[in-house]
Amino acid sequence: MSRTPGLTVPNRSTEGGYARGGALKGLPGYNFAFLDEVTKRMIRRTLLKAVAIPGHQIPFASREMPLPYGWGTGGIQITASIIGPDDVLKVIDQGADDTTNAVSIRSFFRKTAGVATTTRTGEATVIQTRHRIPEQPLREDQILVYQVPIPEPLRFIEPREEECGKVHAWADYGIMYVKLYEDVARTGRIATTFDYPVVVNGRYVMSPSPIPKFDTPKMHRMPALQLFGAGREKRIYAVPPYTDVKPLDFEDVPFEIERWSRCCALCGATEHYLDEIVTDDVGGRRFVCSDSDACAQRRAKAARDLSGNS
Amino acid sequence: MYVAAKGGEKAIANAHRFLAEKRRGNPQLPEMSVEQIREQLGLAVDRVMAEGSLYDRNLAALAVKQAQGDLVEAAFLLRAYRTTLPRFSPSPVVDTGSMRVLRRISAAYKDLPGGQVLGPTYDYSHRLLDFSLMEPEAFAANVVYLVDKMIALPSRIPRLTEIVGSDDLVETPQEEPDQDPPVPDITEEPLEFPASRSARLQALARGDEGFLLGLAYSAQRGFGFQGHPFVGEIRMGYVPVEVELPGEDVKVRIGSILVTECTMLSRAEETGGCPFGFVQGYGLVFGANERKAMAMALVDRALRSRELGEEVRYPAQDEEYVLRHCDNVESSGFVQHLKLPHYVDFQAELVHVRRRDVKKSQGADDQGPSSVGSAGEG
Amino acid sequence: MAFSSESSNQAEWAAKEPVLRAVRLSHFYGQRVGCAGVSLDLWPGEVLGIVGESGSGKSTLLRCLSGWQEPSQGRVQIRREGEVLDLYALEESVRRRLLRTQIGVVFQRAEEGVRMRVSAGGNIGERLMAEGMRHYGRLRESARRWMERVELDPARLDDLPCTYSGGMLQRLQIAKNLVTEPRLLFLDEPTTGLDVSVQARLLDLLRRLVREMNLSVVMVTHDLAVARVLAHRLLVMMGGQVVEEGLMDRVLDDPQHPYTQLLVSSRLVA
């Protein structure tokens, strides 16, 4: 509320937390990793609750961030709350490290927390992602932070929060199956292709965020901790390591994932999720890995093998 | 070809440089100062303070400058800055009755204690472009401010509800019972439904002016509560803000802020069992922001339908609908996030849609998932 | 009054075992009275008609009885496998479960009871899915069987309800409600607005299902002709209160209360 008549730049000392002692690099005038320590504690408390009730959405007092809502503010707040000076951060969007928003978020943390960043999945301790799970299996010492636009898996079936809350509380999920039933009745199979609803730990139905269903099986009993942040919708939820994550399906119409008969045009992978690239205006197409790191690793390995053989 | 689809750090840096050039405009012309914006684009600054939810004229003016006059973007800048500010304590409730009014009108009563004060208003101006403003005037050295010539007003002008609230005619606001803390802070506690009225009013006070205006208008046109609303009172002016010193029973005045307050009166549906002849809709906004204060008061009234036992039928009466969608930092972010790449999800849909088409053309039964990609080879 | 079961003791209640009991039900909308002090019992296999003009409180009473509207005062008890459940004292999750397994409600406006943007099959299967059925083939089989049972063409299983006629929609509502084989069925003006011939066929269907499934039914109607076809016993409501009660023939042929007399005579005139 200060009114500075001389229009000076606000001069605020950094708070406690990691910034204490001034040993850390960060943005002048801001706390380590942007958020103040009180907010970080609030978010960490929410995370603990989320881990204790796998798949259950916990409301939290989401802050306005310097990036717009819908652009990963939930994930950014979680990352800001858990990241320490020794962490190595990887940020991907659509599987790639070099997409504009991934670049922007990575540089935000470099600027405000001065942490090391990487594009290598294996080297990262914290991976913030939008819409993909890395192809390379994650380990126990890694944390995967998802950016979530709509945390409520029931939203397009029942828009009202009050009603959704009751459905979750009573595990009264019949209406979710009505939607699946309609899909199968109309198209012969389940039409949901991304953000495929899952049951976590046999209890809560959860949105896995808009990852393609190709990635859904990777969540099942993943060794890494999975944290989900929805900034605009003000919800946090989690899947602890080695927790059951099962996609909703019918006994006789099982869940299935996308497959390509083509391989990646760059690395030749057939088991990765592929992006389609339009190469000309007469229907030319190429397929390349959406996970830029997995693609690069595979190419590097191929090059090594080749030189080793010769 | 592959790289072109994805953007790099360099592209972003260049975009920001380009933006800075566009912001500056023609470098032959003098650059506008933050002080000029603060003084000469005061209503823009007021709106940014209200929706940015931070009372600081200089920072709001800076935001307007930085956002090239995009007020929604400016409000966002201010909000993101606000996030990082330490919070000391809530102030005691401001007493708008002790407002130093610049404007004060009632459309319900012809005259009332304290009188009607027209103040600086566009209401009765003819909306003719004033071409004389095209030529900057020379600075008048011996200007006499109208404010200084104003007849001294009483130090305390009672609010309408204080004047007529003694009988059951007009509802007097009640403190909400059993609420802890008495006034929740929606930036500290997530908003959940049903929300308390004070939480609702906070959300509306920082809500998007355009959205609230549209909703208020819809309520007025019959898509809302029944009955004609009356402007009980609008007042705009400076109210003192105090803080309580921790541990001591002393209040200290830390300054005063410009606010606009609107009290809207309307009948409640009699079937609902409301004991008052008229109930209130309330609006209070930072700055000179009359349209917003009025829209807020109308929407507040519409949102009271449930509590007043009226049928909730229309968007303006629907708490979750209004409060979840009125914040322009939220709505602007989410609408615009559609610009972010969605290659992966689009690809997933593409695979699904192609497979459907293949199925149709072959008239075959389930082909099994492994045949999916072949559709994409065209 | 004779129909008030307030005085009946526990022994009587156990011996006769009504499936539904309302005790001094009242509901107010602000100052306005929906229904006031209504007590009633519903017996196994019985069809109870509630008649009265619009605004008499009969629809409010039905909503309170069927678990859709918590009354301002009074209790609703439901007997399930020997235990008596107080409908509104139950936790809401238990009540919802009870509503979808033990109770069916057919509304006058089909949109209230049918999801118009979900296929007929999805509508019929909804309760089964809520009860945990996860086999697509079996869900469709049940839906198809029920369509036949309510005389709908199973070929229209995947059609949206908005393509159905008024009479078909009511049949769909009935199928959707009976698929979990509830014991209690509530009908709110089920034939109002339908052609006379469609009405007659629908009433035939209802009568057959009531017999086959040994359903206990509460039916609200303003149409005494409809009541005569289906009901065993009648309650006459006026201004939110029950003014007369008795076996259907007795009430219609020998009405005691002046209001009932007016109702009956106005029907004859009309």
Side-chain angles (χ1 to χ4, degrees), chain C residues 158-187:
Chain C
D158 293 333
D159 291 352
L160 291 181
C162 52
T163 65
Y164 279 30
S165 69
M168 289 167 73
L169 279 172
Q170 294 308 69
R171 287 167 194 274
L172 180 59
Q173 265 204 89
I174 292 164
K176 181 185 169 118
N177 276 284
L178 295 186
V179 67
T180 47
E181 314 219 336
R183 298 181 59 207
L184 271 169
L185 184 63
F186 293 90
L187 305 171

Side-chain angles (χ1 to χ4, degrees), chain C residues 126-245:
Chain C
E126 183 175 348
R127 284 181 165 208
L128 296 174
M129 289 184 256
E131 285 303 296
M133 192 185 275
R134 298 286 179 262
H135 192 284
Y136 178 73
R138 282 205 284 280
L139 284 164
R140 284 180 80 73
E141 197 36 53
S142 290
R144 210 173 269 129
R145 209 170 49 241
W146 266 99
M147 288 190 78
E148 279 168 7
R149 218 164 155 188
V150 297
E151 294 156 16
L152 284 170
D153 181 0
R156 303 202 54 180
L157 185 66
D158 293 333
D159 291 352
L160 291 181
C162 52
T163 65
Y164 279 30
S165 69
M168 289 167 73
L169 279 172
Q170 294 308 69
R171 287 167 194 274
L172 180 59
Q173 265 204 89
I174 292 164
K176 181 185 169 118
N177 276 284
L178 295 186
V179 67
T180 47
E181 314 219 336
R183 298 181 59 207
L184 271 169
L185 184 63
F186 293 90
L187 305 171
D188 187 3
E189 305 268 11
T191 60
T192 303
L194 302 177
D195 291 345
V196 178
S197 62
V198 176
Q199 261 193 33
R201 284 207 302 278
L202 193 65
L203 289 171
D204 270 355
L205 170 71
L206 282 168
R207 197 157 51 178
R208 182 164 61 73
L209 289 169
V210 166
R211 203 177 49 240
E212 285 173 9
M213 301 178 70
N214 193 32
L215 291 168
S216 305
V217 179
V218 177
M219 176 180 63
V220 156
T221 180
H222 71 283
D223 186 343
L224 295 184
V226 169
R228 194 185 274 283
V229 175
L230 221 51
H232 304 127
R233 200 153 58 91
L234 281 188
L235 292 186
V236 182
M237 289 190 74
M238 186 184 82
Q241 290 184 321
V242 176
V243 294
E244 183 159 2
E245 181 265 357

